[in-house]
Amino acid sequence: MGFPPAVSNRIWLLRSLGAWRAFRAGAEDPRGTQARLLRSILRWNAGAEYGTRFGFGGIRTIRDFQERVPVVRYDDLSEEMEAIQAGRNGVLTSEPVLLLQPSSGSTAATKLIPFTATLRTQFNRAVSIWSADLFWHRPELMDGPAYWSVSPLAGQMPTVSGPVKVGFEDDGAYLGGLTRSVVSAAMAVPGELARLTDPEVHRYATLLHLLGAAEARIFSVWSPTFLALLLAPLEEWWESLVSDVEEGTLTAPGGDPVGTEGADLSVPEPNPRRAKELRAVGPHDLPGLWPKLGLLSAWADGSSGPYAGDLRRSFPGVPFQAKGLVATEAFITIPRWGFPGGHPAITSHFLEFIPEGAGVEDALLVDELEERGRYEVLATTGGGLFRYRLGDIVEAVGEGGGLPLLRFVGRIDRVSDFFGEKLSDGFVAGVLDVLTDEGDLSPTFSLLAPERTAGRIRYVWFLTLGSERRGGRVPDTGITGPRLDRALSENFHYATCRRLGQLAPAEVCPVSEGASLRFLEVKGREGQRLGDVKIPALETGLEWREILGAARQVEV
């Protein structure tokens, strides 16, 4: 579409208002809204193999559904997934599978999630609610282009034999149809950059388009560390980038013209005026480079909190909105302007919530959640996942607009367990949050990981302190190895392993600046999409001291 961003964004708003109004109306009766959605999903898929097996056609109530249909994880559907990959129709859904989308996030992409037209509609509905709510409350954001993170995809898709396509061609393809065209027309960085296979060239080309977008209003990424990684070489490449803006060219990071790989990529028109503005500002004043930037959007819950804080400090004065909880499988929460948490996506998927420590038989509905309660999320979607355990833990942090406000806490399936200590990502995130607040720290990187030392295993808190507390040492705040040990020992199983001598004492270990970028680079080499990499509170590998560039050990 040839419309300028201001027009495209207004078209997007108009197309999104229906979904937004339906969501607000649905919030007046969330249980009824969810029950109607569930009946629709079951009716659409009653004739599929899975629907026939569990009697979808005879289910009349939510209780019937919970009694007849089992709670499952991805591995429980291995036979169905193999059949879908082989091209068999009607396995989980009555409608065809359009493609298989690799999962991504905290761990390597190994699961292939079926994507149908109905699931695309459900995702589109949730995105429309978010965009309409945002533009309605902040109409000035429609007046310029937005940067939606574009990850280099080429060469990262798993090779799967079979007739079903694997993976979207770019990050916005899940929207589909006219909506995708409208959104693409308002992008500061074209989605075609995903075809670049060299990460450095991709980063350079992205920066070139961003620097040319003086009117940019929104920077929207998933992981805040992705934006940090993107902006890291800005000073090093500054002169080359500004020259390219001025001349309308695209050179590689080393200064050579981009070869055939990028020859068919669009570049901004020559813009000497913009180049002059950039030279006057310089590479260090990020808000000055984009003076009309009105919104930063990124993950800010769970282990992403410190990195979101660092991103906000890099763009002082720019409003920030935390992303909702979105998985490859389902859209769980939708951010709305002015609310300190995400609203459950009640018009997209049927959602259930297992209270922390309870069994699947105790699953609650969206209107039964209690403030400060923590819950594991189950999702039933139009993509063929029914009572599916996502592995995400959320906390109800309040209520607003007739719905609970939810915050992502951590992953239930990220557990480190050498001797029965059973440390989980969610528990560790809470411990590190407490210690960070206790020490009045502003870490730019924070990660707990096991380490083998002298034949024993210990847990090490690797952290990089904020700019106000550099120097390669932990300040005298009481955050020592013994203090970390005591905090981790609130977990009964960890305390038992320490008491029995199975685990060595914990350690607090400073790591050098740039640790978060080194973490992202490792995950990128493992095949994850950089835009989706979330630095967790807990890692389970034993190799992180060397990778992160650890400083001297702290005596415990």
Side-chain angles (χ1 to χ4, degrees), residues 226-248:
F226 174 76
L227 192 54
L229 178 65
L230 174 65
L231 296 173
L234 193 57
E235 181 178 7
E236 177 186 352
W237 297 342
W238 181 252
E239 289 303 325
S240 177
L241 284 165
V242 175
S243 294
D244 278 345
V245 170
E246 185 172 35
E247 299 171 10

Side-chain angles (χ1 to χ4, degrees), residues 147-425:
Y147 170 55
W148 308 92
S149 64
V150 179
S151 302
L153 306 179
Q156 294 191 18
M157 291 299 175
T159 302
V160 178
S161 60
V164 185
K165 176 184 175 183
V166 175
F168 290 119
E169 58 197 62
D170 62 55
D171 288 356
Y174 64 86
L175 294 176
L178 182 59
T179 299
R180 178 187 177 189
S181 299
V182 169
V183 174
S184 296
M187 284 186 175
V189 178
E192 65 196 45
L193 261 61
R195 295 202 302 268
L196 290 169
T197 57
D198 186 321
E200 294 292 281
V201 175
H202 177 273
R203 197 181 312 179
Y204 185 94
T206 301
L207 286 172
L208 174 62
H209 280 276
L210 285 179
L211 290 176
E215 298 290 316
R217 296 304 203 276
I218 299 172
F219 282 3
S220 176
V221 299
W222 292 111
S223 173
T225 52
F226 174 76
L227 192 54
L229 178 65
L230 174 65
L231 296 173
L234 193 57
E235 181 178 7
E236 177 186 352
W237 297 342
W238 181 252
E239 289 303 325
S240 177
L241 284 165
V242 175
S243 294
D244 278 345
V245 170
E246 185 172 35
E247 299 171 10
T249 53
L250 173 60
T251 60
D256 299 323
V258 173
T260 56
E261 178 192 45
D264 59 344
L265 297 176
S266 63
V267 296
E269 294 292 326
N271 195 340
R273 180 178 177 180
R274 176 60 175 161
K276 184 178 180 180
E277 293 172 351
L278 293 171
R279 289 191 175 100
V281 174
H284 303 295
D285 181 5
L286 297 180
L289 295 177
W290 297 281
K292 296 185 179 180
L293 190 62
L295 182 74
L296 293 170
S297 175
W299 286 323
D301 295 332
S303 59
S304 293
Y307 312 109
D310 197 44
L311 180 60
R312 298 179 74 168
R313 287 186 289 273
S314 297
F315 289 87
V318 178
F320 182 91
Q321 185 183 54
K323 289 282 189 193
L325 173 56
V326 184
T328 304
E329 299 91 335
F331 213 115
I332 306 304
T333 67
I334 303 170
R336 293 181 64 197
W337 193 256
F339 289 99
H343 279 142
I346 58 171
T347 57
S348 290
H349 313 302
F350 179 73
L351 302 174
E352 300 171 82
F353 302 86
I354 303 174
E356 192 171 43
V360 296
E361 67 278 3
D362 299 314
L364 303 176
L365 304 181
V366 68
D367 60 319
E368 297 177 311
L369 306 187
E370 297 182 357
E371 188 169 353
R372 292 188 295 278
R374 289 190 171 189
Y375 306 93
E376 180 188 356
V377 182
L378 306 181
T380 295
T381 79
L385 300 179
F386 306 95
R387 308 201 76 197
Y388 181 84
R389 301 185 87 146
L390 289 159
D392 292 318
I393 299 294
V394 298
E395 180 180 7
V397 295
E399 188 274 341
L403 293 169
L405 297 169
L406 304 178
R407 179 180 66 87
F408 173 74
V409 175
R411 295 281 302 170
I412 197 170
D413 54 0
R414 180 178 291 277
V415 176
S416 185
D417 189 17
F418 287 88
F419 307 106
E421 66 270 27
K422 301 185 191 310
L423 289 181
S424 70
D425 184 62

Side-chain angles (χ1 to χ4, degrees), residues 34 136 171 261 267-268 286 397 463 509 521 529:
Q34 285 273 272
W136 188 265
D171 288 356
E261 178 192 45
V267 296
L286 297 180
V397 295
L463 78 165
C509 180
E521 288 166 351
R529 291 167 47 179

Side-chain angles (χ1 to χ4, degrees), residues 74 77-86 92 112-114 385:
Y74 185 84
L77 302 172
S78 58
E79 292 185 8
E80 289 83 357
M81 295 303 178
E82 289 175 3
I84 290 171
Q85 291 173 30
L92 292 174
L112 294 174
I113 306 302
L385 300 179

Side-chain angles (χ1 to χ4, degrees), residues 225 303 305-307 309-310 313 432 436 440-448 460-475 479 507-519 535-536 544-545 547-551 554:
T225 52
S303 59
Y307 312 109
D310 197 44
R313 287 186 289 273
L432 300 188
T436 296
D440 190 26
L441 303 174
S442 298
T444 58
F445 178 83
S446 174
L447 178 75
L448 187 80
V460 182
W461 184 16
F462 298 103
L463 78 165
T464 304
L465 300 177
S467 58
E468 72 276 18
R469 290 190 173 177
R470 295 180 181 174
R473 63 183 181 85
V474 176
I479 310 303
E507 179 191 338
V508 179
C509 180
V511 291
S512 59
E513 292 292 330
S516 59
L517 303 186
R518 289 190 288 276
F519 182 94
I535 299 177
W544 288 105
R545 181 182 292 270
I547 292 172
L548 298 175
V554 176

Side-chain angles (χ1 to χ4, degrees), residues 432-549:
L432 300 188
D433 280 347
V434 168
L435 296 180
T436 296
D437 291 342
E438 191 177 285
D440 190 26
L441 303 174
S442 298
T444 58
F445 178 83
S446 174
L447 178 75
L448 187 80
E451 177 182 74
R452 191 178 303 278
T453 175
R456 300 177 69 193
I457 297 291
R458 71 165 72 188
Y459 283 89
V460 182
W461 184 16
F462 298 103
L463 78 165
T464 304
L465 300 177
S467 58
E468 72 276 18
R469 290 190 173 177
R470 295 180 181 174
R473 63 183 181 85
V474 176
D476 185 15
T477 58
I479 310 303
T480 60
R483 177 67 188 96
L484 174 61
D485 239 353
R486 290 194 298 274
L488 293 174
S489 292
E490 293 179 14
N491 177 309
F492 169 79
H493 300 289
Y494 178 89
T496 300
C497 291
R498 282 287 294 115
R499 187 172 62 253
L500 295 175
Q502 294 170 303
L503 290 170
E507 179 191 338
V508 179
C509 180
V511 291
S512 59
E513 292 292 330
S516 59
L517 303 186
R518 289 190 288 276
F519 182 94
L520 262 64
E521 288 166 351
V522 167
K523 294 302 179 181
R525 289 195 296 271
E526 291 177 356
Q528 293 192 58
R529 291 167 47 179
L530 292 178
D532 294 340
V533 176
K534 181 183 295 182
I535 299 177
L538 174 70
E539 265 289 348
T540 57
L542 294 166
E543 74 283 4
W544 288 105
R545 181 182 292 270
E546 182 177 352
I547 292 172
L548 298 175

